[in-house]
Amino acid sequence: MTLPRLGRRARWAGLLYGLALLLWLSLEDNHVWPVAALGAGLAALLVLLNLLRRLGGRAIPTPYAVAGVVTLGALVGLGAAVATAGLMLFKNALHAHVFLDYPPGLLLAVLSRAPVWTLAGGLVGLGLLLLWMAWAKNG
């Protein structure tokens, strides 16, 4: 399995994510699902950009790829919980309302789900790797 090099598409993904984040920050919105999606996107983007920057263009043996993808997926899941809570806290500080958009109990509830999100991220990573391997074998 050969990893692609860091290219324009990865940089465009980062720019588009930043634009989506700026749009979300400007809205008066206190729903949980947009910030959870943005937190997961931030974690995935950071892991992907870091991976491609360090290992882009190198061949990874399949046994290492399986363990690596599961580990990276788990990092994305854990990072998603932390990034979601961080984005909630940042929006609270930015908007500075008397009644917070995201109360402290909600931030703690998101952080308490970090172990489950870590497991889910690892399983999603494994599933995506298996799909990619099946596609590469048949394609």
Side-chain angles (χ1 to χ4, degrees):
M1 174 173 151
T2 302
L3 293 174
R5 294 189 183 276
L6 185 64
R8 285 186 181 174
R9 285 187 280 179
R11 289 186 177 94
W12 275 107
L15 288 172
L16 290 174
Y17 175 82
L19 180 64
L21 187 62
L22 285 175
L23 290 173
W24 171 75
L25 282 172
S26 66
L27 295 175
E28 286 293 333
D29 179 36
N30 61 357
H31 292 93
V32 176
W33 72 266
V35 69
L38 286 169
L42 178 61
L45 190 62
L46 288 176
V47 167
L48 180 67
L49 290 177
N50 201 9
L51 174 71
L52 293 181
R53 184 175 56 86
R54 292 176 187 260
L55 298 176
R58 293 188 185 172
I60 309 294
T62 303
Y64 294 120
V66 172
V69 168
V70 170
T71 303
L72 291 174
L75 281 174
V76 169
L78 178 62
V82 173
T84 299
L87 288 172
M88 287 176 167
L89 184 64
F90 185 72
K91 189 166 184 178
N92 281 342
L94 184 68
H95 286 209
H97 299 301
V98 174
F99 299 104
L100 299 173
D101 290 336
Y102 302 105
L106 183 59
L107 271 71
L108 291 174
V110 168
L111 289 174
S112 71
R113 287 169 175 77
V116 175
W117 287 16
T118 302
L119 177 63
L123 291 174
V124 167
L126 178 61
L128 289 175
L129 177 68
L130 292 174
L131 282 173
W132 183 81
M133 289 172 68
W135 176 78
K137 184 177 181 180
N138 292 330

